Amino acid sequence: MATMGSLIGLVNRIQQACTVLGDHGGGGGAGGSLWEALPSVAVVGGQSSGKSSVLESIVGRDFLPRGSGIVTRRPLVLQLHKTDGGQEYAEFLHAPRRRFSDFAAVRKEIADETDRMTGKTKAISNVPIHLSIYSPHVVNLTLIDLPGLTKVAVEGQPESIVQDIENMVRSYVDKPNSIILAISPANQDIATSDAIKLAKEVDPSGDRTFGVVTKLDLMDKGTNAIDVLEGRSYRLQHPWVGIVNRSQADINKNVDMLAARRKEQEYFQSSPDYGHLAHKMGAEYLAKLLSQHLEAVIKAKIPSIIAMINKTVDEIEAELDRLGRPIGGDAGAQLYTILDMCRAFDRVFKEHLDGGRPGGDRIYGVFDHQLPAALKKLPFDKHLSLQNVRKVISEADGYQPHLIAPEQGYRRLIDSSLSYFRGPAEASVDAVHSVLKELVRRSIAATEELKRFPTLQSDIAAAANESLERFREDGRKTVIRLVDMEASYLTVEFFRKLPTEPDKGANNNTPANDRYQDNHLRRIGKLTVPSF
């Protein structure tokens, strides 16, 4: 019994946790949820079939709203917890800090909570009420009381109410782990039972269905339900159980439920029709039967339940990561959290640069494609034309023509040629700056830890862009300085090579020392300066 209590109690607590997390099963939970994977007993029957009385008999307490027509308008998930003793009490999941020891107050809270969701109408809602009862007089069990099936809509109900109720009930009994408790009154032909009809559709083998016959004491004289209880009228894989509920007179007299149980047992033991079945009849036997079967189902489903729990934990962890972990209240903890998120951004940014994510290749493209293409477009043909080379060298010589090589002319031509590099070099810096700004934007968007802190995102973006702007100015100065450095110093080795280099394409009969011949000037513009 301890094993049974611990198993079913554990399932009860898991179901409560699922509800807190927004997964409350067939009425509103998504398919494949953990709630749906956990076994429970769905109580199904037509209106006025005695469902509420059966539940109260199992619990041993009068706690459910009563009345004519549709009374149960929301699913009631009833979790029974057997205690070793002490006072009986009830707790609602929607009022966790409140204990109810007065079960009349429990009845009123169920009615009030139903009205809070549906209003004071006859409408229904698929959002369940969760109620836990702790008592030494119960067995560990999870029951779901569903609205009674009906065939016609009454005044104040929408025309769709019949189908709405059936759809709601089906959403619970369709689940393969759901145990169906089909309630049928004895004074009605079992062939027309709404509960059995629905159970047969969703569980044709009868493996998940327990049949309950109520109102045996209200049958016409000379008739009985032996054929049903012994499985001859309709066979199930599990035994049928007969129930004798409190009469209306007993209810009006507030007859104690435990006394009603004793009276029920006396009825079966003294009955000439059901005496031989007395040990298998009654609400107390039904509760033990369901609890034992629920335990067996839970044991068989443990591997799949564990797998579903692990899957749900992973999903919740992922959702928690998306929403963000809790943040400490003190300044040190908050600073640590901020630094941790900045490090996460830094990791993503580095992945963009190093190739783990797209974007860094665009920087390579600036130097491998954009810069060479820009250099090829520079107007060197015009600047190093024959006419301009002659003009620059003549101006550099002044009134004293050069003797061997026009060194000053070379310097001016090289310096003025390199000055064209400044524009493409600065443009390359600007292009890299634009790529880095875009990578900052992408990295912030891709950093999961930052998604719930839009202000911090903005601050990081502003700080990063401010740094990039400063780096751009430093980069511009650096590339201009590099160009100027190249223009400011011509190596001695370069000038030593000039007289010995062959003049390709020139007339060999031209005197080597005639430095103003067209071929020599053309050589300076086409070969010498470009080679530098």
Side-chain angles (χ1 to χ4, degrees):
M1 200 66 185
T3 302
M4 182 187 304
S6 59
L7 274 177
I8 299 177
L10 175 62
V11 168
N12 285 350
R13 289 191 292 274
I14 294 172
Q15 287 173 327
Q16 288 178 336
C18 290
T19 307
V20 170
L21 294 170
D23 171 15
H24 46 66
S33 67
L34 176 57
W35 209 105
E36 293 181 354
L38 300 173
S40 57
V41 180
V43 184
V44 182
Q47 287 185 15
S48 302
S49 62
K51 286 191 305 87
S52 297
S53 295
V54 170
L55 285 173
E56 289 182 331
S57 295
I58 290 174
V59 174
R61 280 289 186 171
D62 189 354
F63 69 98
L64 291 172
R66 295 183 177 276
S68 59
I70 181 169
V71 178
T72 305
R73 292 182 288 126
R74 289 176 61 182
L76 176 67
V77 179
L78 177 61
Q79 294 178 324
L80 305 181
H81 305 265
K82 184 174 181 60
T83 61
D84 295 331
Q87 187 181 26
E88 295 177 285
Y89 65 92
E91 290 181 341
F92 288 93
L93 198 61
H94 64 266
R97 297 181 184 85
R98 188 177 170 197
R99 282 190 177 185
F100 294 78
S101 55
D102 180 1
F103 282 81
V106 172
R107 183 190 306 114
K108 182 177 183 304
E109 182 62 24
I110 293 173
D112 291 344
E113 179 62 19
T114 299
D115 290 343
R116 277 193 282 271
M117 182 62 67
T118 64
K120 292 186 177 296
T121 65
K122 295 181 180 180
I124 64 171
S125 169
N126 59 9
V127 179
I129 298 171
H130 288 259
L131 172 64
S132 294
I133 294 179
Y134 300 82
S135 168
H137 306 300
V138 300
V139 294
N140 291 287
L141 193 58
T142 299
L143 300 154
I144 304 174
D145 186 22
L146 298 165
L149 297 165
T150 185
K151 292 183 171 63
V152 294
V154 299
E155 185 178 354
Q157 291 179 336
E159 290 298 321
S160 63
I161 190 73
V162 176
Q163 191 62 47
D164 291 343
I165 292 175
E166 182 174 337
N167 290 343
M168 181 194 298
V169 174
R170 279 183 182 275
S171 71
Y172 283 89
V173 300
D174 270 341
K175 294 180 241 176
N177 286 348
S178 176
I179 300 166
I180 304 168
L181 188 63
I183 311 291
S184 303
N187 53 6
Q188 174 187 332
D189 187 355
I190 199 69
T192 63
S193 167
D194 294 325
I196 292 298
K197 177 174 177 290
L198 182 60
K200 187 176 181 180
E201 292 177 10
V202 300
D203 180 32
S205 65
D207 291 335
R208 297 189 288 119
T209 303
F210 285 79
V212 174
V213 181
T214 61
K215 304 184 181 181
L216 291 168
D217 55 328
L218 300 182
M219 296 184 72
D220 294 336
K221 285 187 177 181
T223 63
N224 60 52
I226 286 295
D227 286 346
V228 176
L229 293 174
E230 292 185 342
R232 290 189 291 272
S233 294
Y234 184 78
R235 180 170 296 279
L236 296 171
Q237 297 297 322
H238 305 287
W240 286 80
V241 178
I243 298 289
V244 174
N245 298 324
R246 288 184 303 167
S247 66
Q248 189 59 49
D250 289 339
I251 294 172
N252 293 339
K253 293 177 184 176
N254 292 322
V255 173
D256 180 74
M257 291 299 300
L258 297 180
R261 282 185 184 178
R262 291 192 294 270
K263 187 175 179 181
E264 179 186 46
Q265 283 302 311
E266 291 170 3
Y267 171 84
F268 284 115
Q269 289 168 359
S270 62
S271 169
D273 295 322
Y274 310 118
H276 65 293
L277 298 174
H279 63 291
K280 295 182 178 180
M281 297 289 119
E284 194 168 358
Y285 172 78
L286 175 62
K288 291 178 181 178
L289 182 67
L290 291 173
S291 184
Q292 289 169 358
H293 182 72
L294 186 60
E295 178 199 14
V297 172
I298 290 172
K299 283 182 177 179
K301 299 289 185 181
I302 281 176
S304 61
I305 291 173
I306 291 174
M308 185 61 77
I309 289 173
N310 291 335
K311 178 175 178 288
T312 304
V313 168
D314 290 341
E315 291 173 351
I316 292 172
E317 288 285 347
E319 181 71 5
L320 186 58
D321 286 337
R322 188 184 69 80
L323 295 175
R325 303 281 176 172
I327 299 174
D330 61 285
Q334 292 177 0
L335 179 59
Y336 176 83
T337 301
I338 292 172
L339 291 175
D340 197 45
M341 287 187 284
C342 289
R343 282 191 289 268
F345 160 75
D346 182 59
R347 284 193 300 271
V348 175
F349 187 71
K350 284 185 67 177
E351 287 174 8
H352 277 294
L353 287 179
D354 296 341
R357 297 172 184 260
D361 56 310
R362 291 171 56 195
I363 296 177
Y364 172 78
V366 170
F367 298 108
D368 194 56
H369 302 294
Q370 181 176 321
L371 180 58
L375 294 178
K376 287 179 182 178
K377 294 179 181 179
L378 294 176
F380 287 134
D381 289 344
K382 182 179 179 181
H383 181 64
L384 298 176
S385 65
L386 184 63
Q387 294 80 2
N388 195 56
V389 170
R390 178 184 287 113
K391 175 176 177 290
V392 171
I393 290 178
S394 298
E395 290 176 353
D397 284 347
Y399 71 93
Q400 290 183 332
H402 60 275
L403 298 177
I404 301 174
E407 180 183 338
Q408 293 303 319
Y410 282 135
R411 288 186 181 278
R412 290 194 182 186
L413 284 170
I414 291 172
D415 182 68
S416 57
S417 296
L418 286 175
S419 66
Y420 286 111
F421 281 48
R422 291 188 176 91
E426 288 184 303
S428 297
V429 172
D430 292 339
V432 172
H433 175 263
S434 297
V435 172
L436 292 175
K437 280 187 67 175
E438 174 62 17
L439 294 186
V440 166
R441 187 191 66 79
R442 287 190 188 181
S443 299
I444 290 173
T447 304
E448 291 291 332
E449 293 85 343
L450 288 173
K451 288 189 174 178
R452 62 173 176 150
F453 299 104
T455 303
L456 183 58
Q457 290 182 36
S458 300
D459 290 344
I460 290 177
N465 289 332
E466 181 182 342
S467 297
L468 288 177
E469 193 65 39
R470 188 170 64 253
F471 296 153
R472 176 166 67 167
E473 293 304 314
D474 292 344
R476 280 177 171 172
K477 293 176 182 177
T478 299
V479 297
I480 297 301
R481 194 177 297 119
L482 287 171
V483 172
D484 291 342
M485 285 168 60
E486 291 293 337
S488 64
Y489 179 74
L490 277 65
T491 63
V492 175
E493 187 65 26
F494 174 74
F495 286 104
R496 286 175 178 168
K497 288 181 180 179
L498 290 180
T500 61
E501 290 177 352
D503 190 359
K504 297 178 182 178
N507 188 346
N508 292 333
N509 296 324
T510 303
N513 61 354
D514 189 348
R515 301 304 180 186
Y516 287 100
Q517 291 295 322
D518 287 351
N519 286 337
H520 180 66
L521 296 176
R522 189 178 292 109
R523 181 172 179 270
I524 292 173
K526 296 296 184 184
L527 295 173
T528 307
V529 174
S531 71
F532 183 84

